[in-house]
Amino acid sequence: MPNRRILIESLPQDRLAPENFAMDTTDVPEAGAGEVLCRTLALTVGAGQRAGLQGSASYAAAPESGRVMNGTAVARVEESRADGIAVGDLVTCPSGWQDYAVHAAKAVNRVEGGGDPAHHLGVYGTNGLTAYFGLFDLGEPKAGQTLVVSAAAGSVGHIVGQMAKIVGCRVVGVAGSDEKCRLLTEDLGFDAAVNYRDANFRGSFREACGDGIDIYFDNTGGEILGGALRRMKPHGRIVCCGVVSQYDTGNPAPGPRGIPGLLVNNRVRMEGFLVFDYASRYGEGRAQMREWVESGRLKPLQDEFHGLEEAPNAFIDLLAGGNTGTRIIRVAD
């Protein structure tokens, strides 16, 4: 039985391209003692993987060609030589872009079998957990405050905005198309949304922010971060989650002007984080989000590509802003 794998053929020098990847086929590996063989059902791709290829993600291994492209999967256990994990169990695991992978038992996490397994890559996976802990632990939202989130229709942003609404914030989203802005306000309950590609973005952004920003959840960096910095209220909080505007390039732009002066003058706290720091509290975050999802207060979004071979195109399209919610690649039933 063949195992298809998508390898990093070459490291991108500027924008990511299909020729940076290549598919090969090997035999399906066998599980050893204490290990499980996993069949990939679905993969997710995210902007942080591009930071890994760029070498700017401290949590990722050094990028190199000739190895399987990294990625998180939800998978079915096909063979188990580990206590506590049975054939047929659903797990999340770092399988990368391939059909089958062997993992030590401690590297996989069993998940509930009900509902769409892909939710364990989105709202109950690192995307949702990133949104949850970034918002509540760093953003510290309070009813009546104004929260702005960039890449607001993306995998993290659409969850951040909805959770902020749940706790009573006024929420402004920044997205890359009028269609996404309508989705945010009409379907997800955002109070306002602004298209950063619009010619009048600066004026529209200023108007949407009203008397200022209490919390800015930054997924993009660049000019949007610069605009938010100039509109922060005293004692505001900036949550630095990602810099997607600077990942897919060989020449990242410098940070916005005004730091540290704007932070000092307005006593603004600007803090970055990694979701992995909260691993001991994942259960807390998942339990709360599951309650909101099942009650209909939180609507997780995902869009899909079908077939392992589509992973490079799905990744490139995501970096161009093509996704709405979590980007999923369906690999097997």
Side-chain angles (χ1 to χ4, degrees):
M1 185 163 45
N3 179 34
R4 299 173 303 161
R5 311 184 304 169
I6 296 180
L7 308 179
I8 302 169
E9 178 78 359
S10 60
L11 295 176
Q13 299 304 305
D14 190 41
R15 291 191 178 276
L16 195 67
E19 53 266 28
N20 293 127
F21 301 98
M23 180 177 281
D24 77 354
T25 301
T26 65
D27 292 333
V28 174
E30 296 182 0
E35 294 180 332
V36 293
L37 171 66
C38 296
R39 171 62 160 117
T40 300
L41 303 181
L43 294 162
T44 185
V45 291
Q49 290 167 270
R50 181 63 179 92
L53 288 175
Q54 191 185 60
S56 59
S58 62
Y59 52 86
E64 60 180 354
S65 60
R67 62 178 177 86
V68 176
M69 178 62 191
N70 70 296
T72 301
V74 61
R76 183 177 57 242
V77 175
E78 300 286 292
E79 177 188 1
S80 176
R81 298 187 60 190
D83 294 338
I85 302 176
V87 171
D89 282 351
L90 289 181
V91 298
T92 55
C93 53
S95 285
W97 293 5
Q98 56 186 334
D99 287 318
Y100 294 90
V102 165
H103 303 283
K106 64 182 180 181
V108 307
N109 294 289
R110 293 174 61 192
V111 298
E112 296 181 17
D116 184 353
H119 280 337
H120 297 289
L121 302 176
V123 66
Y124 304 137
T126 55
N127 294 330
L129 294 166
T130 295
Y132 182 86
F133 291 111
L135 175 62
F136 292 111
D137 276 53
L138 276 68
E140 300 177 351
K142 297 176 178 63
Q145 294 185 332
T146 294
L147 174 137
V148 174
V149 56
S150 58
S155 59
V156 172
H158 84 284
I159 299 174
V160 168
Q162 291 182 82
M163 291 192 300
K165 285 295 296 180
I166 288 171
V167 298
C169 291
R170 179 177 180 272
V171 175
V172 178
V174 180
S177 72
D178 291 342
E179 181 182 5
K180 288 183 177 181
C181 289
R182 284 192 295 272
L183 171 73
L184 294 172
T185 56
E186 296 176 8
D187 291 358
L188 301 186
F190 284 48
D191 296 284
V194 186
N195 180 356
Y196 71 83
R197 291 192 169 104
D198 190 278
N200 191 40
F201 168 69
R202 289 187 180 181
S204 299
F205 185 61
R206 182 171 57 250
E207 181 179 352
C209 293
D211 63 352
I213 302 169
D214 295 287
I215 307 159
Y216 173 53
F217 197 105
D218 184 34
N219 292 306
T220 58
E223 294 182 3
I224 302 172
L225 171 58
L229 272 166
R230 292 189 290 275
R231 291 171 178 82
M232 296 300 297
K233 291 182 181 179
H235 303 289
R237 287 83 69 200
I238 298 176
V239 181
C240 296
C241 179
V243 196
V244 68
S245 70
Q246 305 302 312
Y247 290 153
D248 198 25
T249 175
N251 186 31
R257 298 174 62 184
I259 297 174
L262 291 170
L263 302 180
V264 173
N265 291 341
N266 283 324
R267 287 83 74 202
V268 171
R269 187 182 80 224
M270 186 174 185
E271 185 173 356
F273 75 106
L274 294 176
V275 69
F276 314 113
D277 296 338
Y278 296 91
S280 64
R281 295 174 56 198
Y282 283 177
E284 166 198 331
R286 289 188 177 113
Q288 179 61 82
M289 287 186 290
R290 187 179 296 279
E291 178 183 322
W292 286 333
V293 169
E294 292 178 352
S295 69
R297 301 181 73 190
L298 176 59
K299 182 179 179 181
L301 300 179
Q302 61 191 41
D303 59 17
E304 300 184 3
F305 279 58
H306 292 268
L308 180 65
E309 67 280 1
E310 288 297 315
N313 291 331
F315 192 19
I316 292 166
D317 179 71
L318 174 138
L319 293 169
N323 67 301
T324 300
T326 299
R327 173 58 54 87
I328 298 294
I329 300 102
R330 300 281 185 182
V331 177
D333 295 332

